[in-house]
Amino acid sequence: MGRPPKFTREKLQTAALSIVDEQGLEALSMRALAQALGTGPMTLYSYVDSREGLDVLVVEAIIGKAVWTHPPGTGWQDDLRYVARAMWQAVRLHPNAIPIVLTRRSRTPAIFAVAESLLGPLRGAGFANVQLLAAFRAVTALIVGMAQGELTGPLALKAGESAAETIAKFEALPRDTYPGLIEAALATDRSSPEGEFDLAMSFLVRGLESQIASQGESDA
Amino acid sequence: MGRPPKFTREKLQTAALSIVDEQGLEALSMRALAQALGTGPMTLYSYVDSREGLDVLVVEAIIGKAVWTHPPGTGWQDDLRYVARAMWQAVRLHPNAIPIVLTRRSRTPAIFAVAESLLGPLRGAGFANVQLLAAFRAVTALIVGMAQGELTGPLALKAGESAAETIAKFEALPRDTYPGLIEAALATDRSSPEGEFDLAMSFLVRGLESQIASQGESDA
DNA sequence: ACCTGAACACCGTTCAAGT
DNA sequence: ACCTGAACACCGTTCAAGT
């Protein structure tokens, strides 16, 4: 005999996301989420298959909340940059969750929607087939890679370490073995995550433009 | 009174890595590693601070084994592509470990070495300062993002699903809402991870070239 | 310094039973 | 269909003791 569900999937999503936001990824457990909802751990198995399902819940909550529609742009380049930046910002809003956003495979409508809104501008630029696929992969790789690199790249701040301390640490390295690393570390002072992302995207967009242009030539 | 260590750090590294390679990330635990080494769990605390240290052990093992030196190239572009591809392949050799390679922050000599060998070609190209930092971040983001996207992007194969099944699933989507996604999914048939990575890198390298070229103009 | 076993506070999940 | 508590086989880590 049927019984109405006690919770909505959305309720679970927001509860799970706030645990991750407030207490970190490790704090998300069947038992912790159940307690946050005022129920027993086993109740959650009516909504998810296993512990993995909790991660998917969080990823969906993050991707789902982002808005991918945008004002009509002035070209595929701007459209692409706009969607990419929105996606990057949505991910960055929940830094604790980034590892699972990168890691959990999920084919949900929300993911499909953002994928399509990246693919639209790329098709508009003239990409098709294998090149469309590669361009799509490159853009998404750059977006998630930049979000993650900000937190855990070699030049990222360590927890409880100031920017000045980070720079000092790199300046103390042997200057003739790590000249590039030292220069890059010094530059972190004059740099911002937004600036770095925009620059990185502009490199890639320039490259995509150049690829399209050279194909246009060989067609003619 | 001092006692000689029972294990070397390298012994732990290889034991930890083979657990991850053979049984997956979840199988790596203090107790499992201890058992593999024929000792008790508490012994490991002589070598690592905490569970997190086990992940660092694995990441170091992967990065450390890769060879980043390369034959003298014909330009910064080739040098950059060579190192990037070597790093990408090293990561791909241990697919189970990719989530922690992306995720665990670690400032070890091995990481510094590969970072510097990416920064070298970029400096040779003419990048400096904030642009050098952004270019470095873009390249590393592309490398790790492509490695991860191959496994968990929206177009990645699901475990126990054939390529044909994947394509069929996307072809079944509404063609007017997901035209790009369907075209990209169809292209996976004619595509390979190596081809996609090389294309993605060539987009980025073209963009870096173009950036440098346009600066040269404004200097003149 | 390094090794170790017992104990503690967790964890996901199976099972069996309830509505 | 959905909810639930008890029980089981794990887990990381503290503590106290040993060399």
Side-chain angles (χ1 to χ4, degrees):
Chain A
M1 186 182 165
R3 193 200 266 207
K6 201 172 174 184
F7 307 106
T8 62
R9 197 172 161 81
E10 222 193 3
K11 258 269 187 290
L12 297 210
Q13 276 184 6
T14 60
L17 182 55
S18 64
I19 289 177
V20 171
D21 280 343
E22 289 158 24
Q23 309 176 57
L25 258 188
E26 321 75 35
L28 180 64
S29 70
M30 288 291 201
R31 298 173 122 100
L33 180 56
Q35 198 179 24
L37 293 166
T39 187
M42 290 315 299
T43 301
L44 300 180
Y45 283 86
S46 304
Y47 301 89
V48 294
D49 279 350
S50 68
R51 173 56 241 273
E52 287 253 309
L54 262 45
D55 289 342
V56 175
L57 233 38
V58 173
V59 174
E60 274 178 31
I62 293 173
I63 304 290
K65 272 196 310 192
V67 181
W68 313 109
T69 52
H70 61 103
T74 55
W76 65 266
Q77 294 94 333
D78 280 343
D79 294 345
L80 186 65
R81 268 191 284 253
Y82 183 96
V83 180
R85 209 179 203 280
M87 185 172 164
W88 178 71
Q89 287 288 17
V91 170
R92 258 166 44 95
L93 252 180
H94 305 277
N96 290 344
I98 292 184
I100 59 177
V101 173
L102 264 73
T103 275
R104 297 300 147 197
R105 145 197 357 265
S106 57
R107 290 195 197 140
T108 67
I111 301 273
F112 286 174
V114 54
E116 189 63 40
S117 60
L118 288 172
L119 282 159
L122 290 172
R123 292 175 80 220
F127 284 100
N129 260 317
V130 179
Q131 289 216 348
L132 177 67
L133 178 60
F136 170 71
R137 290 230 145 113
V139 172
T140 52
L142 198 73
I143 293 168
V144 296
M146 289 295 291
Q148 179 62 16
E150 184 185 336
L151 296 174
T152 57
L155 291 168
L157 256 61
K158 262 191 171 157
E161 192 185 70
S162 77
E165 282 168 340
T166 303
I167 292 174
K169 220 163 244 179
F170 280 94
E171 277 195 287
L173 291 176
R175 196 163 289 264
D176 46 350
T177 29
Y178 300 116
L181 211 46
I182 293 169
E183 180 173 352
L186 287 172
T188 54
D189 231 9
R190 269 154 285 141
S191 187
S192 71
E194 286 79 9
E196 287 168 27
F197 180 77
D198 288 345
L199 254 175
M201 265 305 283
S202 83
F203 293 150
L204 184 55
V205 170
R206 268 171 185 274
L208 295 171
E209 276 177 333
S210 153
Q211 172 73 25
I212 285 293
S214 75
Q215 274 172 227
E217 274 170 37
S218 73
D219 283 358
Chain B
M1 189 183 162
R3 195 200 265 207
K6 201 173 175 184
F7 307 106
T8 62
R9 195 171 163 82
E10 221 192 4
K11 259 261 185 297
L12 297 209
Q13 277 184 4
T14 61
L17 182 55
S18 62
I19 288 177
V20 171
D21 280 342
E22 287 157 26
Q23 310 176 55
L25 257 190
E26 320 75 36
L28 180 63
S29 71
M30 287 290 201
R31 296 171 122 102
L33 179 57
Q35 198 178 25
L37 293 166
T39 186
M42 289 316 299
T43 301
L44 300 180
Y45 285 86
S46 303
Y47 302 89
V48 294
D49 278 351
S50 70
R51 172 59 239 272
E52 288 252 309
L54 262 44
D55 290 342
V56 174
L57 234 36
V58 172
V59 175
E60 274 177 32
I62 293 173
I63 304 288
K65 272 196 310 196
V67 181
W68 314 107
T69 53
H70 61 104
T74 56
W76 66 266
Q77 294 93 333
D78 280 342
D79 294 344
L80 185 65
R81 268 191 284 254
Y82 183 96
V83 178
R85 209 180 202 281
M87 185 172 165
W88 178 71
Q89 286 289 18
V91 169
R92 258 166 45 93
L93 253 179
H94 305 277
N96 289 345
I98 292 184
I100 58 176
V101 173
L102 263 73
T103 274
R104 296 302 147 198
R105 148 199 349 269
S106 58
R107 290 196 196 140
T108 67
I111 301 273
F112 286 175
V114 56
E116 188 63 39
S117 60
L118 288 172
L119 284 158
L122 290 172
R123 294 175 79 219
F127 285 98
N129 259 317
V130 178
Q131 290 216 347
L132 176 68
L133 176 60
F136 169 72
R137 291 229 145 113
V139 173
T140 51
L142 198 74
I143 293 168
V144 297
M146 289 295 291
Q148 179 63 15
E150 183 184 336
L151 296 173
T152 56
L155 291 168
L157 256 60
K158 261 190 171 157
E161 191 185 69
S162 77
E165 283 169 338
T166 303
I167 291 175
K169 220 162 243 180
F170 279 94
E171 277 195 287
L173 291 177
R175 197 164 288 265
D176 47 349
T177 30
Y178 301 116
L181 212 45
I182 292 169
E183 179 173 352
L186 287 172
T188 54
D189 232 8
R190 270 153 285 140
S191 186
S192 70
E194 286 81 9
E196 286 168 27
F197 180 77
D198 288 345
L199 254 176
M201 265 306 283
S202 83
F203 294 149
L204 184 55
V205 169
R206 268 172 184 274
L208 295 171
E209 276 176 334
S210 153
Q211 172 72 26
I212 286 293
S214 75
Q215 275 172 226
E217 273 169 37
S218 73
D219 282 359

